[in-house]
Structures are given as structure tokens and as C-alpha cells.
Amino acid sequence: MASTNLMSLGNVEKKDFLKSFDYFICDCDGVLWHGRVPVPGAQEVLKNLVSIGKKRFYFTNNSALTRKQFVEKFNSLGFDAKEEEILSTAWLTAKYLKNINFNKKVYVVGGTSIKEELDKFEIENFGAGPDNYEARGSSNFTLESSDIELVPDVGAVVVGYDLFFSYPKVAKAKCYLNDPKCLFLATNKDEKIPIAGGLTVPGSGALVAAVEVCSDRKADVIGKPSPFAIDHVLIPSGIDPKRCLMIGDKCSTDIYFGNQRGMITLLVETGLHRYTDLEKFKSSGMDHLIPSYYTSSVADISKIMRLP
Ligand SMILES: [Mg+2]
């Protein structure tokens, strides 16, 4: 499986590329922006694609915001967005539980974004935000069984990005997961998150790993690269994955996600991975990480649209 340099195509092939998809799904960090700085030309290309009839989705593994909050972020950075165009992992997790007619309680190791999305689907949940262990006045530093008040009827543990991640939370998650019928869901498993100044900080994957190790279980992932969003959101809406273009900067999440269901995939080199990484993946036999096309920036699509 080889990847094609998008801009090396002839003009006829470039136009065929534009005709080959009806929908495009854009990852956000590293594709549309870095932190709060938009990638030059990104807003324009998205607008132009919509103006020629392409339908748009945004898919971010970030679980720290609700869909409503993402719309506000998009608008503040100059991107058009509607809630129904946003595939975010707090919302997808709630949608998944709704789809399986989940009717128990969810223990959330994550932020209030997960709580708010679960609330919208009327799924009973608790645990988001700081654990109240300290507030109860515990003065020693060992956790007693009496410190762990297990709530009855918990049918799922959801782990996502959690600024208040703590030992008591991992302990409780582990206790709920002792029941093999209790679902174990991760919004995503990204190991690291890039932040300003060239630093990276732990992503949800680091927190999920802590719960996996002590519970001796593996979480089911809702975000990329899980095909959940394709199988449970796009296909049921009548969307053919083969007519979708997935645009991303990370091969192990974005590109793998699209490749699993036959989407056309495009790696943009404004984020994590570059063409040189593709050669490494190929020589290690990791064909599932190879995109259909690669190019330097999402803005290159504008150049194709301007062709006479
Ligand atoms: Mg990204």
C-alpha cells in the first residue's frame, strides 16, 4: 500500500480527488489549529469545500469539552461549526451508552463535559470533578475500605481527561470493575497532549492505563481509532464511508480510523506525523497507518479548488 503525494497529481487527477468524496471529516489539533492559533488558510478551505456541496464533520479525541463548548471554540477561532457536525468523545461516549440502551449508573473518571453529555441523554452518572475524599476530613494517607463508599447499580466506568485524577478515583474505578458485567469505556487513549511551548503533557491514555493495570482489564475505546463513530453515527445516518475523506495529522488515530472502513485518508504534515514516518510504518508492516494521500497542509486543498 503506497501513499500518494496529493500535490504531485496531475490537474485531472486532482479534480478527480475532489470528486471522490461527498463528506470530509477533519481532526482538529495539528490540522486546523495549534493551541489557539489557526493553521493558515484552514478556515478558508473548510468554507470553500462546503460551498461546493461537501458535508463537514469535525472529529476530535479531546473529551474535555461538550459539543456546545466546541462550537464556541470553533467560532472564536474563525471556523463555522454546528453542534451536529462535531464528533467529540464526551458526546460519543454518551451516545454509545444510549445506543445500547444502558440503564444503570456511570462512574465518571473525567471532567464535567462527560457529565453534561451523559445528562443530555438522561444517563445517571456521578464522579466528575474532584473526589470528595479530602473534603471528608480523612487525615491519614491510607485508603480504608470505609473510605470507598460504592454506589449500587453502577454498570459502567468511563475514563477520560481528568484534571482531578486521583488515587481514590482509581481505587473506586477498580472496585466497580471487579464486576465483569460492568462496562469499561475510555473516551480515547492518546498518550500525550501537545501544549504551548513545545511541551507535551499526559493525555487520557495515561489515566486509562492506570485503571487498566490495577483492574486487569482493557478499556473499550470510543474515540479514534475505534470505528465506533462510523458504525454508530455515520453509517446509520446514511453516510457511505467510501465517500468520506478523513483528514488528520496522527496516523495511529486519524488515519487508522479512516482506513478501517475504506475511507479516503489524507495525512497533513502540520502536526505529529510526516511523510518520513510513513516509510518507517511501511517497513514495519504497519500498512493500516498509511494514508491514501499526504500533503503539507489542509490549505493545499484550496489550490486544487482554484484549478480552472
Ligand atoms: Mg491531531
Side-chain angles (χ1 to χ4, degrees), residues 27-31 224 248-250 253-254:
D27 173 52
C28 303
D29 272 303
V31 174
K224 295 168 286 187
D249 69 301
K250 187 174 175 184
T253 51
D254 306 322

Side-chain angles (χ1 to χ4, degrees), residues 61-113:
N61 267 0
N62 183 338
S63 70
L65 301 179
T66 62
R67 290 211 293 180
K68 197 164 177 252
Q69 291 166 328
F70 270 116
V71 169
E72 288 159 13
K73 177 170 183 182
F74 277 99
N75 292 342
S76 73
L77 295 178
F79 291 92
D80 293 327
K82 298 186 200 86
E83 268 189 58
E84 59 270 26
E85 293 173 332
I86 292 170
L87 304 168
S88 57
T89 53
W91 176 76
L92 282 168
T93 303
K95 168 96 178 148
Y96 171 76
L97 289 169
K98 185 72 186 170
N99 279 8
I100 61 166
N101 296 318
F102 181 83
N103 58 4
K104 292 187 163 187
K105 292 174 195 156
V106 179
Y107 178 52
V108 178
V109 180
T112 50
S113 50

Side-chain angles (χ1 to χ4, degrees), residues 34-160:
H34 301 106
R36 293 197 59 81
V37 181
V39 167
Q43 297 109 321
E44 186 200 352
V45 77
L46 264 56
K47 233 176 248 173
N48 291 345
L49 282 169
V50 169
S51 75
I52 60 166
K54 309 292 183 190
K55 303 270 191 328
R56 173 179 61 201
F57 287 99
Y58 300 102
F59 193 171
T60 170
N61 267 0
N62 183 338
S63 70
L65 301 179
T66 62
R67 290 211 293 180
K68 197 164 177 252
Q69 291 166 328
F70 270 116
V71 169
E72 288 159 13
K73 177 170 183 182
F74 277 99
N75 292 342
S76 73
L77 295 178
F79 291 92
D80 293 327
K82 298 186 200 86
E83 268 189 58
E84 59 270 26
E85 293 173 332
I86 292 170
L87 304 168
S88 57
T89 53
W91 176 76
L92 282 168
T93 303
K95 168 96 178 148
Y96 171 76
L97 289 169
K98 185 72 186 170
N99 279 8
I100 61 166
N101 296 318
F102 181 83
N103 58 4
K104 292 187 163 187
K105 292 174 195 156
V106 179
Y107 178 52
V108 178
V109 180
T112 50
S113 50
I114 299 173
K115 176 193 163 34
E116 285 173 31
E117 298 291 21
L118 288 168
D119 286 347
K120 276 186 210 148
F121 284 104
E122 298 179 334
I123 297 169
E124 212 178 321
N125 68 90
F126 64 99
D131 189 273
N132 64 0
Y133 176 65
E134 270 181 86
R136 288 203 309 274
S138 301
S139 55
N140 63 40
F141 292 98
T142 54
L143 205 63
E144 305 292 333
S145 57
S146 58
D147 290 323
I148 300 193
E149 294 159 13
L150 292 182
V151 172
D153 213 26
V154 169
V157 170
V158 170
V159 183

